[in-house]
Short mmCIF file of all heavy atoms in Angstrom, two decimals:
data_model
loop_
_atom_site.label_atom_id
_atom_site.label_comp_id
_atom_site.label_asym_id
_atom_site.label_seq_id
_atom_site.Cartn_x
_atom_site.Cartn_y
_atom_site.Cartn_z
N MET A 269 6.29 -12.78 1.71
CA MET A 269 6.13 -11.35 1.68
C MET A 269 5.87 -10.92 0.24
O MET A 269 6.45 -11.45 -0.69
CB MET A 269 7.38 -10.68 2.24
CG MET A 269 7.16 -9.27 2.63
SD MET A 269 8.37 -8.49 3.72
CE MET A 269 9.85 -9.40 3.58
N VAL A 270 4.99 -9.92 0.09
CA VAL A 270 4.60 -9.43 -1.23
C VAL A 270 4.47 -7.91 -1.16
O VAL A 270 4.25 -7.35 -0.09
CB VAL A 270 3.26 -10.10 -1.67
CG1 VAL A 270 2.12 -9.69 -0.77
CG2 VAL A 270 2.94 -9.82 -3.10
N THR A 271 4.61 -7.25 -2.30
CA THR A 271 4.44 -5.80 -2.31
C THR A 271 2.98 -5.46 -2.56
O THR A 271 2.24 -6.23 -3.18
CB THR A 271 5.33 -5.14 -3.39
OG1 THR A 271 5.03 -5.70 -4.66
CG2 THR A 271 6.80 -5.32 -3.06
N LEU A 272 2.56 -4.31 -2.09
CA LEU A 272 1.16 -3.89 -2.16
C LEU A 272 0.64 -3.83 -3.59
O LEU A 272 -0.53 -4.13 -3.83
CB LEU A 272 1.00 -2.54 -1.46
CG LEU A 272 -0.39 -1.92 -1.43
CD1 LEU A 272 -1.41 -2.87 -0.80
CD2 LEU A 272 -0.38 -0.61 -0.69
N ASP A 273 1.47 -3.48 -4.54
CA ASP A 273 1.01 -3.37 -5.93
C ASP A 273 0.57 -4.70 -6.53
O ASP A 273 -0.11 -4.73 -7.54
CB ASP A 273 2.09 -2.72 -6.81
CG ASP A 273 3.32 -3.58 -6.97
OD1 ASP A 273 3.85 -4.07 -5.95
OD2 ASP A 273 3.76 -3.76 -8.11
N LYS A 274 0.93 -5.83 -5.91
CA LYS A 274 0.58 -7.16 -6.43
C LYS A 274 -0.78 -7.66 -5.95
O LYS A 274 -1.27 -8.66 -6.44
CB LYS A 274 1.65 -8.19 -6.03
CG LYS A 274 3.04 -7.84 -6.48
CD LYS A 274 3.17 -7.90 -7.97
CE LYS A 274 4.63 -7.68 -8.34
NZ LYS A 274 4.80 -7.05 -9.61
N LEU A 275 -1.38 -6.97 -4.97
CA LEU A 275 -2.65 -7.43 -4.42
C LEU A 275 -3.81 -7.11 -5.36
O LEU A 275 -3.71 -6.21 -6.20
CB LEU A 275 -2.90 -6.78 -3.06
CG LEU A 275 -2.37 -7.52 -1.85
CD1 LEU A 275 -0.88 -7.69 -1.89
CD2 LEU A 275 -2.78 -6.83 -0.58
N VAL A 276 -4.88 -7.85 -5.22
CA VAL A 276 -6.09 -7.62 -5.99
C VAL A 276 -7.20 -7.16 -5.04
O VAL A 276 -7.05 -7.22 -3.82
CB VAL A 276 -6.52 -8.89 -6.76
CG1 VAL A 276 -5.48 -9.28 -7.78
CG2 VAL A 276 -6.80 -10.04 -5.81
N ILE A 277 -8.31 -6.72 -5.61
CA ILE A 277 -9.43 -6.23 -4.81
C ILE A 277 -9.86 -7.29 -3.81
O ILE A 277 -10.02 -8.46 -4.13
CB ILE A 277 -10.61 -5.85 -5.73
CG1 ILE A 277 -10.22 -4.67 -6.60
CG2 ILE A 277 -11.85 -5.51 -4.90
CD1 ILE A 277 -11.24 -4.31 -7.65
N GLY A 278 -10.01 -6.86 -2.56
CA GLY A 278 -10.45 -7.74 -1.49
C GLY A 278 -9.32 -8.35 -0.67
O GLY A 278 -9.55 -8.80 0.44
N GLN A 279 -8.12 -8.36 -1.19
CA GLN A 279 -7.00 -8.91 -0.42
C GLN A 279 -6.55 -7.91 0.63
O GLN A 279 -6.72 -6.70 0.47
CB GLN A 279 -5.81 -9.24 -1.33
CG GLN A 279 -5.97 -10.52 -2.10
CD GLN A 279 -4.68 -10.91 -2.79
OE1 GLN A 279 -4.12 -10.13 -3.56
NE2 GLN A 279 -4.22 -12.11 -2.52
N HIS A 280 -5.98 -8.43 1.70
CA HIS A 280 -5.49 -7.56 2.75
C HIS A 280 -4.31 -8.19 3.46
O HIS A 280 -4.07 -9.39 3.35
CB HIS A 280 -6.61 -7.22 3.75
CG HIS A 280 -7.33 -8.40 4.30
ND1 HIS A 280 -6.97 -9.01 5.46
CD2 HIS A 280 -8.38 -9.10 3.82
CE1 HIS A 280 -7.78 -10.03 5.69
NE2 HIS A 280 -8.65 -10.10 4.70
N GLY A 281 -3.59 -7.35 4.16
CA GLY A 281 -2.41 -7.81 4.88
C GLY A 281 -1.92 -6.74 5.82
O GLY A 281 -2.58 -5.72 6.02
N SER A 282 -0.76 -6.97 6.39
CA SER A 282 -0.15 -6.02 7.32
C SER A 282 1.17 -5.52 6.75
O SER A 282 1.93 -6.28 6.17
CB SER A 282 0.14 -6.70 8.65
OG SER A 282 -1.03 -7.20 9.22
N VAL A 283 1.43 -4.24 6.97
CA VAL A 283 2.68 -3.64 6.51
C VAL A 283 3.85 -4.26 7.29
O VAL A 283 3.81 -4.33 8.51
CB VAL A 283 2.67 -2.11 6.71
CG1 VAL A 283 4.02 -1.51 6.34
CG2 VAL A 283 1.56 -1.46 5.91
N VAL A 284 4.84 -4.73 6.56
CA VAL A 284 6.06 -5.26 7.17
C VAL A 284 7.14 -4.19 7.14
O VAL A 284 7.78 -3.91 8.15
CB VAL A 284 6.54 -6.54 6.45
CG1 VAL A 284 7.88 -6.99 6.99
CG2 VAL A 284 5.50 -7.63 6.57
N SER A 285 7.32 -3.58 5.97
CA SER A 285 8.35 -2.54 5.83
C SER A 285 8.08 -1.70 4.59
O SER A 285 7.28 -2.07 3.73
CB SER A 285 9.74 -3.18 5.72
OG SER A 285 9.82 -3.96 4.54
N ILE A 286 8.77 -0.58 4.53
CA ILE A 286 8.74 0.29 3.35
C ILE A 286 10.18 0.40 2.87
O ILE A 286 11.10 0.56 3.68
CB ILE A 286 8.17 1.67 3.70
CG1 ILE A 286 6.72 1.53 4.17
CG2 ILE A 286 8.24 2.60 2.49
CD1 ILE A 286 6.10 2.81 4.68
N ASP A 287 10.35 0.32 1.57
CA ASP A 287 11.69 0.37 0.97
C ASP A 287 12.49 1.55 1.51
O ASP A 287 12.11 2.70 1.32
CB ASP A 287 11.55 0.48 -0.55
CG ASP A 287 12.89 0.46 -1.27
OD1 ASP A 287 13.92 0.20 -0.62
OD2 ASP A 287 12.89 0.69 -2.49
N PRO A 288 13.60 1.29 2.21
CA PRO A 288 14.40 2.38 2.78
C PRO A 288 15.11 3.23 1.73
O PRO A 288 15.55 4.34 2.02
CB PRO A 288 15.41 1.66 3.68
CG PRO A 288 15.47 0.27 3.15
CD PRO A 288 14.14 -0.02 2.53
N ASN A 289 15.21 2.75 0.50
CA ASN A 289 15.87 3.52 -0.56
C ASN A 289 14.99 4.65 -1.08
O ASN A 289 15.49 5.58 -1.72
CB ASN A 289 16.28 2.60 -1.72
CG ASN A 289 17.32 1.59 -1.27
OD1 ASN A 289 18.17 1.89 -0.45
ND2 ASN A 289 17.23 0.38 -1.79
N ALA A 290 13.70 4.57 -0.86
CA ALA A 290 12.76 5.61 -1.29
C ALA A 290 12.51 6.55 -0.12
O ALA A 290 11.43 6.58 0.46
CB ALA A 290 11.47 4.96 -1.77
N ASN A 291 13.51 7.34 0.24
CA ASN A 291 13.49 8.13 1.46
C ASN A 291 12.33 9.12 1.55
O ASN A 291 11.58 9.12 2.52
CB ASN A 291 14.82 8.85 1.66
CG ASN A 291 14.99 9.35 3.07
OD1 ASN A 291 14.37 8.83 3.99
ND2 ASN A 291 15.82 10.34 3.24
N LEU A 292 12.14 9.99 0.56
CA LEU A 292 11.06 10.97 0.61
C LEU A 292 9.69 10.29 0.55
O LEU A 292 8.78 10.67 1.28
CB LEU A 292 11.19 11.98 -0.52
CG LEU A 292 12.39 12.93 -0.43
CD1 LEU A 292 12.47 13.81 -1.67
CD2 LEU A 292 12.28 13.77 0.83
N LEU A 293 9.56 9.30 -0.30
CA LEU A 293 8.31 8.55 -0.38
C LEU A 293 8.05 7.83 0.93
O LEU A 293 6.92 7.79 1.41
CB LEU A 293 8.36 7.55 -1.54
CG LEU A 293 7.15 6.63 -1.67
CD1 LEU A 293 5.89 7.44 -1.91
CD2 LEU A 293 7.37 5.63 -2.79
N ARG A 294 9.07 7.28 1.52
CA ARG A 294 8.94 6.55 2.79
C ARG A 294 8.37 7.46 3.86
O ARG A 294 7.46 7.08 4.59
CB ARG A 294 10.31 6.01 3.21
CG ARG A 294 10.28 5.15 4.44
CD ARG A 294 11.67 4.54 4.67
NE ARG A 294 11.61 3.48 5.64
CZ ARG A 294 11.64 3.67 6.96
NH1 ARG A 294 11.73 4.89 7.44
NH2 ARG A 294 11.56 2.65 7.77
N GLN A 295 8.88 8.68 3.95
CA GLN A 295 8.37 9.64 4.94
C GLN A 295 6.90 9.96 4.69
O GLN A 295 6.10 10.05 5.62
CB GLN A 295 9.21 10.92 4.90
CG GLN A 295 10.61 10.74 5.42
CD GLN A 295 11.44 12.00 5.27
OE1 GLN A 295 11.01 12.99 4.69
NE2 GLN A 295 12.65 11.96 5.78
N LYS A 296 6.53 10.13 3.43
CA LYS A 296 5.15 10.43 3.06
C LYS A 296 4.22 9.28 3.45
O LYS A 296 3.17 9.49 4.04
CB LYS A 296 5.07 10.69 1.55
CG LYS A 296 3.69 10.90 1.01
CD LYS A 296 3.73 11.05 -0.49
CE LYS A 296 2.36 10.87 -1.09
NZ LYS A 296 2.39 10.82 -2.55
N LEU A 297 4.63 8.05 3.14
CA LEU A 297 3.81 6.88 3.45
C LEU A 297 3.67 6.67 4.95
O LEU A 297 2.59 6.35 5.44
CB LEU A 297 4.40 5.64 2.78
CG LEU A 297 4.39 5.64 1.25
CD1 LEU A 297 5.16 4.45 0.71
CD2 LEU A 297 2.98 5.66 0.71
N LEU A 298 4.74 6.87 5.68
CA LEU A 298 4.67 6.74 7.14
C LEU A 298 3.73 7.79 7.73
O LEU A 298 2.94 7.49 8.63
CB LEU A 298 6.07 6.88 7.76
CG LEU A 298 7.02 5.71 7.51
CD1 LEU A 298 8.43 6.07 7.96
CD2 LEU A 298 6.54 4.46 8.22
N ALA A 299 3.75 9.00 7.20
CA ALA A 299 2.87 10.07 7.67
C ALA A 299 1.40 9.76 7.37
O ALA A 299 0.51 10.19 8.10
CB ALA A 299 3.26 11.39 7.03
N MET A 300 1.14 8.98 6.31
CA MET A 300 -0.23 8.60 5.97
C MET A 300 -0.73 7.41 6.77
O MET A 300 -1.86 6.97 6.58
CB MET A 300 -0.33 8.30 4.46
CG MET A 300 -0.18 9.53 3.61
SD MET A 300 -0.63 9.27 1.88
CE MET A 300 0.50 8.01 1.36
N GLY A 301 0.10 6.86 7.65
CA GLY A 301 -0.34 5.76 8.50
C GLY A 301 0.15 4.39 8.08
O GLY A 301 -0.21 3.39 8.69
N LEU A 302 0.94 4.31 7.04
CA LEU A 302 1.46 3.03 6.57
C LEU A 302 2.71 2.66 7.37
O LEU A 302 3.81 2.58 6.84
CB LEU A 302 1.75 3.09 5.07
CG LEU A 302 0.49 3.10 4.21
CD1 LEU A 302 0.77 3.71 2.86
CD2 LEU A 302 -0.05 1.70 4.08
N THR A 303 2.52 2.43 8.64
CA THR A 303 3.61 2.07 9.54
C THR A 303 3.64 0.55 9.70
O THR A 303 2.64 -0.13 9.44
CB THR A 303 3.41 2.73 10.91
OG1 THR A 303 2.13 2.35 11.42
CG2 THR A 303 3.49 4.24 10.80
N PRO A 304 4.77 -0.02 10.11
CA PRO A 304 4.84 -1.47 10.30
C PRO A 304 3.73 -1.98 11.22
O PRO A 304 3.45 -1.40 12.26
CB PRO A 304 6.22 -1.67 10.93
CG PRO A 304 7.02 -0.54 10.38
CD PRO A 304 6.06 0.62 10.35
N GLY A 305 3.06 -3.03 10.76
CA GLY A 305 1.96 -3.62 11.51
C GLY A 305 0.59 -3.09 11.14
O GLY A 305 -0.43 -3.65 11.52
N ALA A 306 0.53 -2.00 10.37
CA ALA A 306 -0.75 -1.41 9.99
C ALA A 306 -1.49 -2.34 9.02
O ALA A 306 -0.92 -2.82 8.06
CB ALA A 306 -0.54 -0.06 9.34
N PRO A 307 -2.78 -2.58 9.27
CA PRO A 307 -3.57 -3.39 8.34
C PRO A 307 -3.91 -2.60 7.07
O PRO A 307 -4.24 -1.41 7.15
CB PRO A 307 -4.83 -3.72 9.13
CG PRO A 307 -4.95 -2.61 10.11
CD PRO A 307 -3.55 -2.16 10.42
N VAL A 308 -3.79 -3.24 5.92
CA VAL A 308 -4.08 -2.61 4.63
C VAL A 308 -5.07 -3.50 3.88
O VAL A 308 -4.87 -4.71 3.78
CB VAL A 308 -2.80 -2.44 3.78
CG1 VAL A 308 -3.11 -1.82 2.44
CG2 VAL A 308 -1.77 -1.62 4.53
N HIS A 309 -6.14 -2.89 3.36
CA HIS A 309 -7.16 -3.62 2.63
C HIS A 309 -7.36 -2.96 1.27
O HIS A 309 -7.58 -1.75 1.20
CB HIS A 309 -8.48 -3.59 3.43
CG HIS A 309 -9.56 -4.42 2.84
ND1 HIS A 309 -9.70 -5.75 3.13
CD2 HIS A 309 -10.54 -4.11 1.98
CE1 HIS A 309 -10.74 -6.22 2.47
NE2 HIS A 309 -11.26 -5.24 1.76
N VAL A 310 -7.25 -3.73 0.18
CA VAL A 310 -7.41 -3.18 -1.17
C VAL A 310 -8.91 -3.08 -1.47
O VAL A 310 -9.62 -4.09 -1.45
CB VAL A 310 -6.70 -4.05 -2.23
CG1 VAL A 310 -6.93 -3.48 -3.62
CG2 VAL A 310 -5.22 -4.13 -1.92
N LEU A 311 -9.38 -1.87 -1.76
CA LEU A 311 -10.79 -1.64 -2.03
C LEU A 311 -11.12 -1.67 -3.52
O LEU A 311 -12.08 -2.31 -3.92
CB LEU A 311 -11.24 -0.29 -1.45
CG LEU A 311 -11.09 -0.12 0.06
CD1 LEU A 311 -11.51 1.28 0.48
CD2 LEU A 311 -11.92 -1.17 0.79
N ARG A 312 -10.34 -0.95 -4.32
CA ARG A 312 -10.61 -0.90 -5.76
C ARG A 312 -9.45 -0.27 -6.52
O ARG A 312 -8.52 0.24 -5.93
CB ARG A 312 -11.91 -0.17 -6.05
CG ARG A 312 -11.91 1.29 -5.65
CD ARG A 312 -13.27 1.94 -5.91
NE ARG A 312 -13.28 3.30 -5.43
CZ ARG A 312 -13.71 3.68 -4.24
NH1 ARG A 312 -14.17 2.79 -3.39
NH2 ARG A 312 -13.69 4.94 -3.90
N PHE A 313 -9.56 -0.32 -7.85
CA PHE A 313 -8.58 0.29 -8.74
C PHE A 313 -9.31 1.26 -9.66
O PHE A 313 -10.51 1.09 -9.91
CB PHE A 313 -7.90 -0.79 -9.61
CG PHE A 313 -7.01 -1.71 -8.83
CD1 PHE A 313 -7.51 -2.88 -8.28
CD2 PHE A 313 -5.68 -1.41 -8.65
CE1 PHE A 313 -6.69 -3.73 -7.56
CE2 PHE A 313 -4.85 -2.25 -7.93
CZ PHE A 313 -5.36 -3.42 -7.38
N SER A 314 -8.61 2.24 -10.16
CA SER A 314 -9.22 3.14 -11.14
C SER A 314 -9.48 2.33 -12.42
O SER A 314 -8.95 1.23 -12.58
CB SER A 314 -8.30 4.32 -11.42
OG SER A 314 -7.20 3.91 -12.18
N PRO A 315 -10.27 2.86 -13.34
CA PRO A 315 -10.59 2.11 -14.56
C PRO A 315 -9.38 1.60 -15.34
O PRO A 315 -9.44 0.56 -15.98
CB PRO A 315 -11.40 3.10 -15.39
CG PRO A 315 -12.04 3.98 -14.38
CD PRO A 315 -11.01 4.11 -13.27
N PHE A 316 -8.27 2.32 -15.30
CA PHE A 316 -7.08 1.89 -16.03
C PHE A 316 -6.08 1.17 -15.13
O PHE A 316 -4.96 0.89 -15.54
CB PHE A 316 -6.42 3.07 -16.74
CG PHE A 316 -7.28 3.66 -17.81
CD1 PHE A 316 -7.91 4.87 -17.63
CD2 PHE A 316 -7.50 2.96 -18.99
CE1 PHE A 316 -8.73 5.41 -18.61
CE2 PHE A 316 -8.31 3.48 -19.98
CZ PHE A 316 -8.94 4.71 -19.79
N GLY A 317 -6.47 0.88 -13.87
CA GLY A 317 -5.63 0.10 -12.98
C GLY A 317 -4.67 0.88 -12.11
O GLY A 317 -4.02 0.31 -11.25
N ASP A 318 -4.56 2.17 -12.33
CA ASP A 318 -3.63 2.98 -11.55
C ASP A 318 -4.24 4.36 -11.39
O ASP A 318 -4.57 4.98 -12.40
CB ASP A 318 -2.28 3.06 -12.26
CG ASP A 318 -1.16 3.55 -11.37
OD1 ASP A 318 -1.28 3.48 -10.15
OD2 ASP A 318 -0.14 4.01 -11.93
N PRO A 319 -4.47 4.87 -10.21
CA PRO A 319 -4.02 4.42 -8.90
C PRO A 319 -4.94 3.36 -8.30
O PRO A 319 -5.99 3.03 -8.86
CB PRO A 319 -4.06 5.69 -8.06
CG PRO A 319 -5.16 6.48 -8.66
CD PRO A 319 -5.12 6.18 -10.15
N MET A 320 -4.52 2.88 -7.14
CA MET A 320 -5.33 1.90 -6.40
C MET A 320 -5.84 2.58 -5.13
O MET A 320 -5.23 3.50 -4.61
CB MET A 320 -4.51 0.66 -6.07
CG MET A 320 -3.32 0.87 -5.18
SD MET A 320 -2.20 -0.55 -5.04
CE MET A 320 -3.26 -1.86 -4.54
N ILE A 321 -6.99 2.12 -4.66
CA ILE A 321 -7.61 2.67 -3.47
C ILE A 321 -7.50 1.63 -2.36
O ILE A 321 -7.93 0.49 -2.53
CB ILE A 321 -9.10 3.02 -3.70
CG1 ILE A 321 -9.28 3.85 -4.98
CG2 ILE A 321 -9.69 3.71 -2.49
CD1 ILE A 321 -8.56 5.16 -4.99
N VAL A 322 -6.90 2.02 -1.23
CA VAL A 322 -6.71 1.11 -0.10
C VAL A 322 -7.25 1.74 1.17
O VAL A 322 -7.37 2.97 1.27
CB VAL A 322 -5.22 0.73 0.10
CG1 VAL A 322 -4.68 0.00 -1.11
CG2 VAL A 322 -4.38 1.95 0.40
N LYS A 323 -7.58 0.90 2.13
CA LYS A 323 -8.02 1.37 3.44
C LYS A 323 -6.95 1.01 4.45
O LYS A 323 -6.54 -0.14 4.55
CB LYS A 323 -9.34 0.72 3.82
CG LYS A 323 -9.96 1.31 5.06
CD LYS A 323 -11.36 0.77 5.25
CE LYS A 323 -12.03 1.46 6.41
NZ LYS A 323 -13.41 1.00 6.57
N VAL A 324 -6.49 2.02 5.20
CA VAL A 324 -5.44 1.85 6.20
C VAL A 324 -5.90 2.53 7.48
O VAL A 324 -6.16 3.74 7.48
CB VAL A 324 -4.11 2.48 5.75
CG1 VAL A 324 -3.03 2.29 6.80
CG2 VAL A 324 -3.66 1.93 4.42
N ARG A 325 -6.03 1.75 8.56
CA ARG A 325 -6.42 2.31 9.86
C ARG A 325 -7.66 3.18 9.78
O ARG A 325 -7.74 4.25 10.37
CB ARG A 325 -5.27 3.11 10.47
CG ARG A 325 -4.03 2.29 10.73
CD ARG A 325 -2.95 3.17 11.35
NE ARG A 325 -1.68 2.51 11.40
CZ ARG A 325 -1.22 1.85 12.45
NH1 ARG A 325 -1.94 1.73 13.52
NH2 ARG A 325 -0.03 1.29 12.41
N GLY A 326 -8.66 2.76 8.98
CA GLY A 326 -9.91 3.50 8.87
C GLY A 326 -9.89 4.66 7.89
O GLY A 326 -10.89 5.33 7.71
N THR A 327 -8.77 4.90 7.24
CA THR A 327 -8.63 5.98 6.27
C THR A 327 -8.49 5.40 4.88
O THR A 327 -7.77 4.43 4.67
CB THR A 327 -7.39 6.83 6.59
OG1 THR A 327 -7.51 7.33 7.91
CG2 THR A 327 -7.24 7.99 5.63
N VAL A 328 -9.18 5.99 3.91
CA VAL A 328 -9.10 5.54 2.53
C VAL A 328 -8.04 6.38 1.81
O VAL A 328 -8.08 7.61 1.85
CB VAL A 328 -10.46 5.67 1.82
CG1 VAL A 328 -10.36 5.27 0.37
CG2 VAL A 328 -11.50 4.81 2.53
N LEU A 329 -7.07 5.69 1.20
CA LEU A 329 -5.96 6.35 0.51
C LEU A 329 -5.92 5.94 -0.95
O LEU A 329 -6.29 4.82 -1.30
CB LEU A 329 -4.63 5.95 1.14
CG LEU A 329 -4.41 6.22 2.62
CD1 LEU A 329 -3.09 5.61 3.06
CD2 LEU A 329 -4.42 7.71 2.88
N SER A 330 -5.44 6.83 -1.78
CA SER A 330 -5.19 6.54 -3.18
C SER A 330 -3.69 6.51 -3.38
O SER A 330 -3.00 7.47 -3.05
CB SER A 330 -5.82 7.64 -4.04
OG SER A 330 -5.51 7.45 -5.39
N LEU A 331 -3.19 5.39 -3.89
CA LEU A 331 -1.75 5.23 -4.10
C LEU A 331 -1.47 4.82 -5.54
O LEU A 331 -2.17 3.97 -6.10
CB LEU A 331 -1.19 4.13 -3.20
CG LEU A 331 -1.24 4.35 -1.70
CD1 LEU A 331 -0.84 3.06 -0.98
CD2 LEU A 331 -0.32 5.47 -1.31
N ARG A 332 -0.45 5.40 -6.11
CA ARG A 332 0.01 4.95 -7.42
C ARG A 332 0.67 3.59 -7.25
O ARG A 332 1.23 3.29 -6.20
CB ARG A 332 1.02 5.93 -8.00
CG ARG A 332 0.44 7.26 -8.31
CD ARG A 332 1.51 8.15 -8.97
NE ARG A 332 1.05 9.51 -8.94
CZ ARG A 332 1.70 10.51 -8.35
NH1 ARG A 332 2.85 10.29 -7.75
NH2 ARG A 332 1.21 11.73 -8.37
N LYS A 333 0.65 2.79 -8.29
CA LYS A 333 1.29 1.48 -8.22
C LYS A 333 2.79 1.61 -7.97
O LYS A 333 3.38 0.78 -7.29
CB LYS A 333 1.01 0.67 -9.48
CG LYS A 333 -0.41 0.15 -9.51
CD LYS A 333 -0.48 -1.12 -10.27
CE LYS A 333 -1.89 -1.68 -10.14
NZ LYS A 333 -2.02 -2.95 -10.78
N ALA A 334 3.41 2.66 -8.49
CA ALA A 334 4.84 2.88 -8.26
C ALA A 334 5.10 3.10 -6.78
O ALA A 334 6.13 2.67 -6.25
CB ALA A 334 5.33 4.07 -9.07
N GLU A 335 4.19 3.77 -6.08
CA GLU A 335 4.32 3.98 -4.64
C GLU A 335 4.05 2.68 -3.90
O GLU A 335 4.76 2.32 -2.96
CB GLU A 335 3.34 5.05 -4.16
CG GLU A 335 3.60 6.42 -4.73
CD GLU A 335 2.48 7.40 -4.47
OE1 GLU A 335 1.32 6.99 -4.30
OE2 GLU A 335 2.78 8.60 -4.43
N ALA A 336 3.01 1.97 -4.32
CA ALA A 336 2.62 0.72 -3.66
C ALA A 336 3.70 -0.35 -3.79
O ALA A 336 3.80 -1.24 -2.95
CB ALA A 336 1.30 0.21 -4.25
N LYS A 337 4.51 -0.24 -4.82
CA LYS A 337 5.57 -1.22 -5.06
C LYS A 337 6.64 -1.21 -3.96
O LYS A 337 7.33 -2.19 -3.74
CB LYS A 337 6.22 -0.94 -6.42
CG LYS A 337 7.10 -2.03 -6.93
CD LYS A 337 7.56 -1.69 -8.33
CE LYS A 337 8.02 -2.93 -9.03
NZ LYS A 337 8.28 -2.72 -10.44
N SER A 338 6.75 -0.10 -3.24
CA SER A 338 7.78 0.00 -2.21
C SER A 338 7.26 -0.41 -0.83
O SER A 338 7.99 -0.32 0.16
CB SER A 338 8.35 1.41 -2.17
OG SER A 338 7.35 2.35 -1.88
N ILE A 339 6.01 -0.89 -0.75
CA ILE A 339 5.42 -1.30 0.53
C ILE A 339 5.37 -2.82 0.59
O ILE A 339 4.68 -3.45 -0.21
CB ILE A 339 4.01 -0.71 0.70
CG1 ILE A 339 4.05 0.81 0.60
CG2 ILE A 339 3.41 -1.16 2.03
CD1 ILE A 339 2.69 1.46 0.47
N ASN A 340 6.10 -3.40 1.53
CA ASN A 340 6.12 -4.86 1.70
C ASN A 340 5.06 -5.27 2.72
O ASN A 340 4.96 -4.67 3.78
CB ASN A 340 7.50 -5.32 2.19
CG ASN A 340 8.57 -5.04 1.17
OD1 ASN A 340 8.44 -5.36 0.01
ND2 ASN A 340 9.64 -4.40 1.61
N LEU A 341 4.28 -6.28 2.35
CA LEU A 341 3.19 -6.74 3.19
C LEU A 341 3.33 -8.22 3.53
O LEU A 341 3.91 -8.99 2.77
CB LEU A 341 1.83 -6.58 2.49
CG LEU A 341 1.38 -5.19 2.10
CD1 LEU A 341 0.08 -5.29 1.34
CD2 LEU A 341 1.20 -4.33 3.32
N GLU A 342 2.71 -8.59 4.64
CA GLU A 342 2.49 -9.99 4.97
C GLU A 342 1.01 -10.21 4.76
O GLU A 342 0.18 -9.54 5.39
CB GLU A 342 2.88 -10.25 6.41
CG GLU A 342 2.69 -11.69 6.82
CD GLU A 342 3.12 -11.92 8.25
OE1 GLU A 342 4.21 -11.44 8.63
OE2 GLU A 342 2.36 -12.57 8.97
N LEU A 343 0.65 -11.11 3.85
CA LEU A 343 -0.76 -11.35 3.54
C LEU A 343 -1.49 -11.99 4.70
O LEU A 343 -0.95 -12.85 5.39
CB LEU A 343 -0.89 -12.24 2.31
CG LEU A 343 -0.51 -11.61 0.98
CD1 LEU A 343 -0.66 -12.63 -0.15
CD2 LEU A 343 -1.34 -10.39 0.68
N ALA A 344 -2.75 -11.56 4.87
CA ALA A 344 -3.61 -12.18 5.88
C ALA A 344 -4.19 -13.45 5.30
O ALA A 344 -4.40 -13.57 4.11
CB ALA A 344 -4.71 -11.22 6.28
N VAL A 345 -4.44 -14.39 6.16
CA VAL A 345 -4.96 -15.69 5.70
C VAL A 345 -6.46 -15.69 5.75
O VAL A 345 -7.11 -15.11 6.52
CB VAL A 345 -4.43 -16.83 6.57
CG1 VAL A 345 -4.82 -18.18 5.98
CG2 VAL A 345 -2.94 -16.74 6.71
#
């Protein structure tokens, strides 16, 4: 298992869990479609590396690395 902030462009995986200690952030991420089992694909990073652009369930999202750090993924092979 790895957190979303560790992935590079082109890598993808499925959401396993979101850090339960980040309660408000957790609610926001769940509302954006980052639910357990959701496929996540890293598309690109901003020029300075933060935020990152990911595709989740057909929607393109921009996430800060601090937010992405609380998302646990299972990498796709």
Side-chain angles (χ1 to χ4, degrees):
M269 197 163 22
V270 65
T271 57
L272 179 56
D273 67 311
K274 303 292 186 210
L275 270 60
V276 296
I277 294 173
Q279 282 190 305
H280 52 93
S282 301
V283 175
V284 174
S285 64
I286 298 174
D287 183 8
N289 296 325
N291 196 22
L292 292 176
L293 175 61
R294 185 174 193 277
Q295 291 175 355
K296 175 184 164 188
L297 295 172
L298 289 170
M300 290 192 300
L302 287 157
T303 56
V308 179
H309 185 87
V310 178
L311 300 177
R312 63 183 176 266
F313 292 90
S314 72
F316 295 107
D318 196 20
M320 63 190 306
I321 310 300
V322 297
K323 188 171 186 177
V324 180
R325 298 181 191 265
T327 303
V328 177
L329 302 174
S330 175
L331 296 171
R332 294 184 195 121
K333 286 210 174 183
E335 296 169 333
K337 193 174 200 171
S338 61
I339 303 168
N340 296 311
L341 299 176
E342 181 178 314
L343 290 178
V345 188

